[in-house]
Amino acid sequence: MINNSKQKEAEDDTLGSKKVKELSVIDGRRAQNCNILLSRLKLSNEEIKRAILTMDEHEDLPKDMLEQLLKFVPEKSDVDLLEEHKHDLDRMAKPDRFLYEMSRINHYQQRLQALYFKKKFAERIAEIKPKVEALSKASKEILHSRNLKQLLEVVLAFGNYMNKGQRGNAYGFKVSSLNKIADTKSSIDKNITLLHYLITILEKKYPKVLKFQDDLQSVSEAAKVNMTELEKDIGNLRSGLKSVESELDFQKKRPQELGDKFVSVVSQFIAVASFSFSDVEDSLTEAKELFLRAVKHFGEDASKMQPDEFFGIFDQFLQSFTEAQQENENIRKRKEEEERRAKMEAQLKEQREKERRARKAKANGEDDGGEFDDLVSALRSGEVFDKDLSKMKRNRKRITSQNTESSRERPVTKLNI
């Protein structure tokens, strides 16, 4: 019994030496999420470290993974706990070991942020640039379109005519009231609005004005631009660029580790990025000036009217105008089809009436008329002098049969003496 118990204790000691209990000092939930991230990343701690020091020259860290890594930057409390157990490095759980090794990288968080900003910069510029261009182009189009100006003159004339009297001598109208044209319905047909009538007048008297739609190609895109959000995006780019420049200045002042390429890579990036950002910033300044001119040109308050609201009015009008044009065209086609059918029905009715008259004439006077025509024919041929009346009748029957097949109406023969 004694020998067996000693053997069991020896076996337990052996198993205990084989099983090394993992050491985990960070929060359990945080450790679990970090472990999931590392399993998705499929890189060793050494590979991650190398990618960060070289500013990911081999493109090992996708943007979405960098974004996740920023959520697992070692906090001071984590670092303090991990430092206490650095002698048990081999026992550390995978998330703990990762956080410990990343904390050993100088300015790990700042490097990670700089790398993420660098990777996202071109994408952010590509998102901002079209908005700025749309704002600038739409403002120019609104200001310089002669067709739009003439269209608004016609609208003003409509308004003055409809409101003749106290309110009928207006020199202008609010842009916001432009879309009320589509809401002003006919008292006869509720499906017809003042906009339908306006288009009809333009087609007849001012066909060139209809090209105003071609003049305002950028309005729909400008209607999506929110100036507050656009300026916020520009501000984020500006502050991000300054943060990267600050980190570059810091790294330049300290000795570089072997394989650390932060200074060389970021210096080159800053040179290119600064030029691109300045170009976009200057374009935005110009676009804002053009927009203010456009808003003031139409008598609106530039401090209250935002691009999405201002250009949204014109964009809605353009959509309503196009829809009303199509509806007018549909009405015109329906009318033409109705006229065509009415014409066909009238022709068919007339044809039926002719046939009815022909049948009536045949029933009432075809025999007498036929004998008279036969007599005239006999006089011309001399058959009457032969007194061969039976032959004349047989000829008449044959001619009548032929005429019935070729024509339903019998021609009246005139006798010239």
Side-chain angles (χ1 to χ4, degrees), residues 337-381:
E337 181 65 20
E338 288 170 2
E339 289 175 353
R340 188 182 67 81
R341 287 181 180 177
K343 187 177 179 180
M344 287 180 64
E345 287 175 2
Q347 289 175 346
L348 188 60
K349 186 178 180 181
E350 184 181 353
Q351 182 66 27
R352 287 173 179 170
E353 182 62 24
K354 283 181 179 179
E355 291 174 359
R356 188 187 66 78
R357 287 199 301 266
R359 286 194 299 271
K360 187 177 180 181
K362 181 180 177 182
N364 293 339
E366 185 182 38
D367 291 339
D368 295 340
E371 288 177 2
F372 180 75
D373 288 344
D374 288 340
L375 180 60
V376 171
S377 179
L379 283 168
R380 286 177 174 173
S381 64

Side-chain angles (χ1 to χ4, degrees), residues 106-118:
N106 178 261
H107 270 215
Y108 169 72
Q109 183 175 355
Q110 290 82 351
R111 286 173 181 268
L112 208 57
Q113 289 170 338
L115 180 56
Y116 183 66
F117 181 83
K118 176 180 175 291

Side-chain angles (χ1 to χ4, degrees), residues 223-400:
K224 301 172 187 175
V225 177
N226 184 296
M227 186 65 81
T228 304
E229 292 180 1
L230 183 58
E231 289 181 330
K232 183 180 178 181
D233 292 339
I234 291 286
N236 289 337
L237 274 181
R238 187 186 297 109
S239 60
L241 208 53
K242 285 183 178 178
S243 295
V244 175
E245 287 175 339
S246 298
E247 183 59 23
L248 178 61
D249 291 338
F250 172 81
Q251 294 293 343
K252 282 180 178 179
K253 294 174 183 176
R254 61 181 299 278
Q256 300 298 304
E257 297 178 18
L258 185 65
D260 189 350
K261 297 183 179 181
F262 184 91
V263 173
S264 60
V265 173
V266 173
S267 295
Q268 187 177 358
F269 165 73
I270 289 293
V272 176
S274 296
F275 178 79
S276 297
F277 177 74
S278 296
D279 184 49
V280 171
E281 201 171 30
D282 292 342
S283 297
L284 178 61
T285 302
E286 182 185 354
K288 286 169 72 174
E289 290 173 358
L290 285 167
F291 172 67
L292 290 174
R293 276 181 55 197
V295 172
K296 288 179 180 178
H297 179 76
F298 286 92
E300 299 293 337
D301 189 345
S303 63
K304 296 179 180 178
M305 188 75 78
Q306 292 294 312
D308 50 352
E309 181 184 357
F310 179 73
F311 291 115
I313 293 167
F314 289 99
D315 184 43
Q316 185 182 341
F317 181 74
L318 283 167
Q319 291 179 35
S320 300
F321 195 93
T322 302
E323 289 171 6
Q325 264 187 315
Q326 186 60 53
E327 287 165 1
N328 275 0
E329 182 63 24
N330 293 340
I331 291 169
R332 189 157 38 245
K333 285 181 179 178
R334 283 198 300 270
K335 188 177 179 181
E336 288 174 357
E337 181 65 20
E338 288 170 2
E339 289 175 353
R340 188 182 67 81
R341 287 181 180 177
K343 187 177 179 180
M344 287 180 64
E345 287 175 2
Q347 289 175 346
L348 188 60
K349 186 178 180 181
E350 184 181 353
Q351 182 66 27
R352 287 173 179 170
E353 182 62 24
K354 283 181 179 179
E355 291 174 359
R356 188 187 66 78
R357 287 199 301 266
R359 286 194 299 271
K360 187 177 180 181
K362 181 180 177 182
N364 293 339
E366 185 182 38
D367 291 339
D368 295 340
E371 288 177 2
F372 180 75
D373 288 344
D374 288 340
L375 180 60
V376 171
S377 179
L379 283 168
R380 286 177 174 173
S381 64
E383 287 180 357
V384 70
F385 301 106
D386 295 335
K387 298 182 180 181
D388 193 356
L389 294 177
S390 61
K391 181 181 178 182
M392 183 177 69
K393 287 181 179 180
R394 285 197 302 272
N395 290 339
R396 176 185 165 276
K397 286 180 180 179
R398 178 171 50 80
I399 294 167
T400 300

Side-chain angles (χ1 to χ4, degrees), residues 174-265:
K174 287 283 186 182
V175 175
S176 56
S177 63
L178 184 61
N179 288 306
K180 291 180 181 178
I181 299 173
D183 299 328
T184 307
K185 296 183 178 181
S186 167
S187 57
I188 300 171
D189 186 351
K190 297 298 182 183
N191 293 320
I192 302 298
T193 67
L194 184 59
L195 183 56
H196 292 90
Y197 182 66
L198 172 65
I199 292 169
T200 303
I201 295 298
L202 292 175
E203 287 174 343
K204 290 179 180 178
K205 297 187 176 182
Y206 310 101
K208 286 180 67 178
V209 174
L210 294 171
K211 295 181 180 179
F212 86 98
Q213 294 166 291
D214 299 329
D215 298 343
L216 309 179
Q217 294 288 335
S218 304
V219 165
S220 61
E221 287 302 314
K224 301 172 187 175
V225 177
N226 184 296
M227 186 65 81
T228 304
E229 292 180 1
L230 183 58
E231 289 181 330
K232 183 180 178 181
D233 292 339
I234 291 286
N236 289 337
L237 274 181
R238 187 186 297 109
S239 60
L241 208 53
K242 285 183 178 178
S243 295
V244 175
E245 287 175 339
S246 298
E247 183 59 23
L248 178 61
D249 291 338
F250 172 81
Q251 294 293 343
K252 282 180 178 179
K253 294 174 183 176
R254 61 181 299 278
Q256 300 298 304
E257 297 178 18
L258 185 65
D260 189 350
K261 297 183 179 181
F262 184 91
V263 173
S264 60
V265 173

Side-chain angles (χ1 to χ4, degrees), residues 95-136:
D96 296 66
R97 179 73 176 262
F98 167 75
L99 291 177
Y100 175 76
E101 292 192 11
M102 293 306 109
S103 70
R104 309 298 292 173
I105 299 174
N106 178 261
H107 270 215
Y108 169 72
Q109 183 175 355
Q110 290 82 351
R111 286 173 181 268
L112 208 57
Q113 289 170 338
L115 180 56
Y116 183 66
F117 181 83
K118 176 180 175 291
K119 283 181 175 283
K120 291 282 289 184
F121 181 79
E123 183 183 319
R124 287 173 175 170
I125 287 289
E127 289 173 356
I128 292 171
K129 208 168 184 179
K131 296 177 183 178
V132 176
E133 288 175 353
L135 188 60
S136 183

